[in-house]
Amino acid sequence: MAKSMFEAVAVIGAGTMGNGIAQTFATYGAKVLLVDLSEDALKKGVLAIEGSLARVVKKGVITDADAKATLARITTNSKLEAITNVPLVVEAVSERPDVKAKVFSQLDRQCPPATILATNTSSISITQIAASTKRADRVIGMHFMNPVPVMKLVEVIRGQETSDETTAKIIAASESIEKVPVAANDFPGFVSNRVLMPMINEAIFCLMEGVATKEGIDTVMKLGMAHPMGPLALADLIGLDVCLDILEVLHQGLGDDKYRPCPLLRRYVAAGNLGKKSGKGFYDYSKA
Ligand code: 3HC
């Protein structure tokens, strides 16, 4: 098994992306400190990691002992102050610029100068996040895909001031955990969400206009275009609130109405139907 280039990593945010990132680094031998202000989120995050590792054990990819050793490498803490001496921090807190700015400014004050501060943001400007620190050259986007343990891609996004050295390190670190990094520049939605979200949005317009049923739309894309899952099911997996936030960033940041979020997406989010995580989105997960 390959070994993580960074032997110790702190991951902030124990939600879907954060716990997947923590699991992935720990799988490749890194000691991981998983931080979330909510004890409840930490408990749920660790449960999710246990469940995900159990799937991999069941497949025979790793042994039960490997899974236990991976779990043992992950410690949790509910205070940001607990992050002191790690070479890499990956932030995966909620997609709110004010929250990210606060976290990065505190990390900048308490972490050693050499620590790289990476963000898993799906669309917030890396340059803007870096501006809340005094180390913009060591701030970078490390955008993992959901589900993190399965998806090979890491989009590596350089902010305006990100150095070549930081970029090279994060590319090498991604390869060391057997991901495939792709470098991108700091524009709204980067590459992944700039291409993905208009497709999801258009699928929601199709549903709203009655072009086909939700199952019909998803089947067209699965069987017609060989996508592993249809765009509506994928939106449920990502989170409809996350999709809406990203579309708003694209719409505002690029100033083009082709990115306007579909009113039906707004209605689902307003109703609290956020997809898999809330038990209901375009599909019903309450019995799963
Ligand atoms: N942990 C560990 N392993 C997992 C897992 C998890 N959470 N979820 C799935 N797996 C593994 C399974 O064990 C299985 O392994 P195998 O290939 O060795 O048998 C494999 O993944 C496939 O899983 P399943 O057989 O259960 O189910 P599917 O074949 O339907 O695959 C899927 C599930 C991997 C989610 C697939 O449907 C898929 O690739 N969907 C598209 C996902 C995608 O597009 N993600 C990107 C979203 S965009 C994003 O994240 C960016 C953000 O900014 C919005």
Side-chain angles (χ1 to χ4, degrees):
M1 166 80 80
K3 267 220 154 298
S4 167
M5 184 180 114
F6 288 107
E7 288 175 5
V9 177
V11 177
I12 311 175
T16 314
M17 298 305 284
N19 71 56
I21 296 167
Q23 177 188 334
T24 303
F25 275 106
T27 297
Y28 289 89
K31 282 195 172 140
V32 178
L33 175 62
L34 180 60
V35 175
D36 198 299
L37 300 187
S38 151
E39 293 280 3
D40 189 44
L42 285 172
K43 274 196 202 115
K44 284 188 182 140
V46 171
L47 272 179
I49 294 171
E50 283 172 0
S52 177
L53 286 171
R55 284 177 82 146
V56 193
V57 171
K58 212 168 156 200
K59 292 266 170 198
V61 179
I62 60 168
T63 64
D64 195 40
D66 292 332
K68 286 201 173 84
T70 299
L71 261 181
R73 281 191 282 276
I74 302 172
T75 51
T76 59
N77 201 297
S78 61
K79 295 212 164 42
L80 213 53
E81 291 76 20
I83 301 172
T84 48
N85 201 10
V86 285
L88 173 68
V89 180
V90 184
E91 166 277 319
V93 303
S94 65
E95 287 287 277
R96 286 189 28 215
D98 54 330
V99 176
K100 302 236 190 240
K102 228 174 129 195
V103 167
F104 273 75
S105 132
Q106 180 169 340
L107 287 173
D108 187 38
R109 277 181 267 124
Q110 75 192 41
C111 291
T115 300
I116 294 177
L117 305 180
T119 171
N120 179 58
T121 183
S122 50
S123 60
I124 297 172
S125 159
I126 309 302
T127 309
Q128 187 187 336
I129 293 171
S132 55
T133 74
K134 293 191 179 72
R135 62 174 87 193
D137 57 324
R138 279 149 291 152
V139 175
I140 193 162
M142 200 176 186
H143 184 208
F144 291 83
M145 303 293 129
N146 185 11
V148 180
V150 182
M151 306 303 284
K152 282 288 172 199
L153 178 71
V154 176
E155 207 174 17
V156 176
I157 308 113
R158 298 181 67 127
Q160 177 77 16
E161 302 293 333
T162 309
S163 70
D164 290 345
E165 191 190 344
T166 300
T167 309
K169 276 189 186 160
I170 292 305
I171 285 179
S174 304
E175 286 168 346
S176 76
I177 54 170
E178 296 193 303
K179 298 291 185 199
V180 177
V182 173
N185 288 313
D186 191 18
F187 288 96
F190 320 129
V191 175
S192 53
N193 282 317
R194 181 157 172 185
V195 176
L196 175 65
M197 286 303 155
M199 179 189 72
I200 287 177
N201 202 34
E202 207 56 40
I204 305 171
F205 271 110
C206 283
L207 182 66
M208 187 178 80
E209 292 166 12
V211 181
T213 61
K214 56 181 185 289
E215 293 84 1
I217 293 163
D218 276 352
T219 303
V220 165
M221 298 308 285
K222 275 200 300 187
L223 301 188
M225 284 79 194
H227 289 196
M229 63 205 298
L232 300 172
L234 181 56
D236 277 354
L237 176 74
I238 294 168
L240 301 192
D241 52 340
V242 175
C243 293
L244 179 56
D245 283 349
I246 297 170
L247 281 161
E248 302 276 27
V249 168
L250 289 169
H251 193 200
Q252 282 162 23
L254 295 163
D256 190 327
D257 274 350
K258 75 179 172 188
Y259 302 107
R260 79 237 171 276
C262 177
L264 185 62
L265 174 61
R266 289 192 190 282
R267 205 170 82 189
Y268 270 79
V269 173
N273 295 335
L274 306 181
K276 224 169 169 182
K277 64 184 168 191
S278 73
K280 199 172 161 202
F282 295 111
Y283 296 92
D284 188 351
Y285 303 90
S286 55
K287 288 174 204 80

